Amino acid sequence: MEYDELLRQVIEFLGTFAFAISGIRHAAAKHFDWFGGYVCGIAVAIGGGTIRDVMLGVTPFWMTNPIYIICTALALIFVIIFAKHMEGLRNTWFVFDTLGLALFTIAGIQKSLILEQPYWVAIIMGCITGSAGGIIRDVLLNNEPVIFQREIYAMAAVLGGIVYWALDIFGCPVEVTVIASFTTTCLMRFLAVRYHLSLPILKQE
């Protein structure tokens, strides 16, 4: 297996675990049972990547390797075991959601580039990979999707994708590019929430 492919799979696995925990915790807040929690976890974990792969015309990634399904099950077990210790860790779940967003954005960009898509498509696919699963989760939970709220979410993924593109053009090593893109996405999300940054809202008049 080539190094770049191995790196992409590691990123997808870590993103799956982070997003699955985020989805399961949202389900727990709605008092779903274990199965409902798993469904929400898997929706976040594979939803964005599935939409990406269908749009790119390839077999969805989780259908070629069961590790992502298993990873979500491990996330469910993790949440069940440590449920008593999680009530006071709301900020931790926000961090997990942000890490998943950053990791899946990178995975989406890398897979698109492997399939020889232009960079503007890769950035869009990265954004979809990172944010579409959260939309599916929120629809299942009857919540307003986070990307339609005033918080900067999908735009953080877009900014991370632009940084990835810029560094790759300048020939930076893939490790440096990945770290810079990951840091940019996370930092943008953290700063936006910390300082209540948002895009201008639409007005009727």
Side-chain angles (χ1 to χ4, degrees), residues 32-101:
F32 281 27
D33 62 16
W34 289 7
F35 180 75
Y38 183 83
V39 170
C40 286
I42 201 71
V44 185
I46 71 172
T50 300
I51 294 173
R52 172 204 66 206
D53 288 347
V54 169
M55 294 180 71
L56 292 175
V58 298
T59 302
F61 68 105
W62 58 271
M63 295 178 68
T64 61
N65 191 338
I67 189 63
Y68 305 101
I69 308 297
I70 296 170
C71 180
T72 303
L74 293 176
L76 176 64
I77 294 170
F78 178 87
V79 172
I80 291 171
I81 292 176
F82 296 102
K84 294 182 179 179
H85 307 284
M86 292 183 173
E87 186 59 30
L89 299 178
R90 296 186 186 278
N91 289 337
T92 302
W93 309 127
F94 165 72
V95 171
F96 270 113
D97 189 64
T98 300
L99 295 179
L101 173 66

Side-chain angles (χ1 to χ4, degrees), residues 2-203:
E2 294 184 1
Y3 176 76
D4 288 356
E5 177 67 13
L6 176 61
L7 178 63
R8 184 181 63 82
Q9 289 192 4
V10 169
I11 289 172
E12 281 193 342
F13 180 84
L14 293 175
T16 298
F17 190 77
F19 259 176
I21 288 180
S22 171
I24 293 165
R25 281 298 301 163
H26 278 80
K30 291 279 190 174
H31 306 292
F32 281 27
D33 62 16
W34 289 7
F35 180 75
Y38 183 83
V39 170
C40 286
I42 201 71
V44 185
I46 71 172
T50 300
I51 294 173
R52 172 204 66 206
D53 288 347
V54 169
M55 294 180 71
L56 292 175
V58 298
T59 302
F61 68 105
W62 58 271
M63 295 178 68
T64 61
N65 191 338
I67 189 63
Y68 305 101
I69 308 297
I70 296 170
C71 180
T72 303
L74 293 176
L76 176 64
I77 294 170
F78 178 87
V79 172
I80 291 171
I81 292 176
F82 296 102
K84 294 182 179 179
H85 307 284
M86 292 183 173
E87 186 59 30
L89 299 178
R90 296 186 186 278
N91 289 337
T92 302
W93 309 127
F94 165 72
V95 171
F96 270 113
D97 189 64
T98 300
L99 295 179
L101 173 66
L103 290 166
F104 268 19
T105 296
I106 294 169
I109 291 171
Q110 290 183 329
K111 186 161 191 178
S112 301
L113 294 177
I114 289 173
L115 295 173
E116 299 182 345
Q117 296 294 328
Y119 250 110
W120 64 272
V121 172
I123 292 173
I124 293 173
M125 291 299 108
C127 183
I128 289 174
T129 308
S131 61
I135 297 175
I136 297 172
R137 173 202 65 206
D138 291 338
V139 170
L140 290 175
L141 295 173
N142 198 29
N143 293 332
E144 180 183 13
V146 67
I147 69 166
F148 299 144
Q149 299 172 20
R150 294 191 65 183
E151 290 184 10
I152 289 179
Y153 191 79
M155 284 304 300
V158 171
L159 184 59
I162 292 173
V163 169
Y164 193 107
W165 165 67
L167 293 180
D168 190 53
I169 283 180
F170 284 106
C172 291
V174 65
E175 298 90 346
V176 175
T177 302
V178 165
I179 292 172
S181 178
F182 174 85
T183 302
T184 300
T185 304
C186 290
L187 191 60
M188 186 63 193
R189 178 90 170 110
F190 292 148
L191 291 175
V193 172
R194 173 66 178 83
Y195 295 104
H196 307 289
L197 304 176
S198 65
L199 296 174
I201 61 174
L202 290 171
K203 299 183 183 298

